[in-house]
Amino acid sequence: MIKLDIDEGKKYRGKIKVAELEDGSKVEIPYFVMRGRRRRPILLLNAALHGDELNGVEVIMRLFEELNPMEVNGTIVAVPVVNVLAFRSRDRFDVIEKRDLNRKFPGKKDGNVTEKIAYHFFNEFVKKADFGIDLHAGMKGHLLLPHGRARTLGDYAPKLEYYQALGTDIIFYHEGEKGMLNITAGKRGIPVVCFEIGEADRLDEFYINEGIKGVKNFMKYFGMLSGLPEMPARQILLQGYIETRASVGGMFYSKARVGDVVKKGDVIGYIRKINGKKVYVKAEKNSTVMGIRTLSAVREGDPIAWMLSFENAEILEIKKKVKIRRNRILEKAEKFIK
Ligand SMILES: [Zn+2]
């Protein structure tokens, strides 16, 4: 059992055991609890369901250091590294089991270690929370614009207000898969928002700060911190996902940056083949760059950009009083949105 009931104004660091390994060493998940002036609501923050996604780990560690519990209304329960085996492997998955923890929820008590981690994390942490933020980053070499990923599955649709509360310019709306944390928790009435910041393997100050801003916006929006969240009055909900792949092999040079707005036919970058010939990579539709490849070498078929087209885009208006900031993506994209 995790220690959730601590005194008002206190911080606590603990860990829970979830399994045992070949050599008898224990698999333990570290966690933090910060108890503010009230017990509820309980906000869950977690990172590293995928072990190489580090920006979120840093966001949680910094917030836990920085926040004064007496300024928090409610309790924060934070799990900086959920997939501890994958984290040690410095990889998305544990090297031995090679399974995606974010397809295993709600987990299995008597399953393999990945399923046990899912089970204990889900039962000990997720079920006790009123809502949560699940921090992710792009895979190795996939740099992602800060955004929430609101996922549907079957007749389940997430409540978008929780995603809006992060205060990002865009929200990516798409169909998810069985066993994902935000879908499994959402179906049980616990909104857990998936928040993407930057790329795997490296800490990046810009994306860490965007992550901290997003979490604080969320807390302010729901009254857990005083002050107004700083966010655009209008955010864009996008669902036209396009994965652009290399048509030839060589070295990829990106010309676009994440968050850029491009017209159909605009150059995103080029691939220089080993024989010196340049092949330009162009936008297939009017879209924004959600993610861009940061690894240079590509072979035919490798993904190089992740675009979100403005087809079927929706504008979401903020429902509460906020401190309004510009939405630079929307300013450039408005002409493409019907
Ligand atoms: Zn992830």
Side-chain angles (χ1 to χ4, degrees):
M1 285 284 281
I2 63 165
K3 189 176 163 75
L4 197 53
D5 281 312
I6 61 169
D7 289 341
E8 189 178 313
K10 293 284 185 235
K11 296 181 183 181
Y12 173 81
R13 287 179 162 87
K15 53 192 175 184
I16 56 161
K17 185 195 164 196
V18 299
E20 187 180 292
L21 296 178
E22 294 85 343
D23 58 354
S25 60
K26 290 180 275 183
V27 177
E28 292 175 319
I29 301 178
Y31 69 94
F32 310 148
V33 180
M34 185 187 301
R35 164 74 201 273
R37 281 183 306 211
R38 290 190 265 121
R39 202 176 95 79
R40 306 297 284 249
I42 298 172
L43 170 67
L44 172 67
L45 300 177
N46 75 269
L49 288 186
H50 298 127
D52 55 359
E53 298 174 4
L54 307 180
N55 285 334
V57 179
E58 186 73 10
V59 166
I60 289 176
M61 294 200 302
R62 288 193 196 178
L63 278 168
F64 196 74
E65 284 294 323
E66 180 199 318
L67 287 175
N68 174 356
M70 291 314 283
E71 288 167 4
V72 173
N73 294 308
T75 302
I76 300 174
V77 184
V79 183
V81 180
V82 181
N83 198 343
V84 286
L85 290 183
F87 182 65
R88 282 186 215 173
S89 307
R90 299 176 202 174
D91 206 349
R92 188 170 174 81
F93 311 137
D94 165 44
V95 277
I96 304 299
E97 297 190 357
K98 297 186 175 69
R99 290 182 170 92
D100 189 339
L101 175 60
N102 202 22
R103 301 293 183 278
K104 296 292 178 197
F105 291 101
K108 275 189 198 151
K109 194 176 184 176
D110 55 359
N112 56 47
V113 177
T114 306
E115 289 165 335
K116 282 191 205 301
I117 291 174
Y119 175 85
H120 288 280
F121 176 66
F122 199 79
N123 285 281
E124 289 284 354
F125 297 97
V126 180
K127 279 187 175 175
K128 292 170 184 165
D130 294 299
F131 39 46
I133 301 173
D134 171 27
L135 292 145
H136 285 259
M139 291 195 281
K140 292 183 195 302
H142 297 195
L143 180 67
L144 295 181
L145 176 75
H147 69 280
R149 290 194 166 177
R151 297 188 176 111
T152 61
L153 189 65
D155 54 9
Y156 168 73
K159 290 198 180 78
L160 293 177
E161 191 176 11
Y162 293 96
Y163 285 87
Q164 287 180 269
L166 296 172
T168 55
D169 293 344
I170 67 157
I171 296 165
F172 177 25
Y173 191 77
H174 65 111
E175 188 169 321
E177 290 175 39
K178 194 168 169 279
M180 284 179 156
L181 174 61
N182 56 353
I183 288 172
T184 313
K187 279 184 166 180
R188 285 164 172 75
I190 306 158
V192 174
V193 304
C194 168
F195 186 17
E196 298 279 356
I197 40 167
E199 68 179 307
D201 278 333
R202 59 190 106 224
L203 295 180
D204 181 301
E205 283 301 315
F206 174 78
Y207 292 97
I208 292 164
N209 285 325
E210 289 299 303
I212 290 172
K213 263 194 247 170
V215 173
K216 285 186 175 173
N217 276 338
F218 187 98
M219 292 179 70
K220 288 174 181 171
Y221 190 92
F222 292 109
M224 290 187 75
L225 280 178
S226 61
L228 295 176
E230 192 175 339
M231 52 178 64
R234 299 158 75 226
Q235 295 162 298
I236 325 172
L237 187 72
L238 294 166
Q239 46 187 320
Y241 177 70
I242 304 162
E243 185 172 68
T244 303
R245 290 177 174 269
S247 60
V248 294
M251 299 288 223
F252 173 62
Y253 299 77
S254 70
K255 289 288 159 200
R257 288 181 303 186
V258 295
D260 280 0
V261 171
V262 293
K263 289 196 309 288
K264 181 182 174 181
D266 281 356
V267 171
I268 302 168
Y270 61 86
I271 297 167
R272 196 162 62 207
K273 290 164 61 89
I274 289 303
N275 67 13
K277 191 181 167 225
K278 268 188 190 179
V279 175
Y280 288 93
V281 180
K282 293 178 180 172
E284 291 170 42
K285 291 182 177 172
N286 301 329
S287 48
T288 187
V289 182
M290 176 181 75
I292 197 89
R293 184 182 183 92
T294 58
L295 297 174
S296 305
V298 292
R299 56 175 63 173
E300 200 178 328
D302 273 347
I304 46 184
W306 299 271
M307 313 293 289
L308 290 174
S309 89
F310 298 114
E311 285 174 351
N312 303 316
E314 276 177 51
I315 305 288
L316 303 176
E317 313 257 349
I318 282 286
K319 297 182 184 80
K320 290 188 181 174
K321 188 168 188 293
V322 301
K323 185 176 170 201
I324 293 172
R325 67 161 180 83
R326 292 170 67 182
N327 184 338
R328 290 174 197 277
I329 296 180
L330 182 58
E331 284 170 12
K332 293 183 200 118
E334 193 125 41
K335 59 180 180 284
F336 299 125
I337 299 174
K338 287 184 192 85

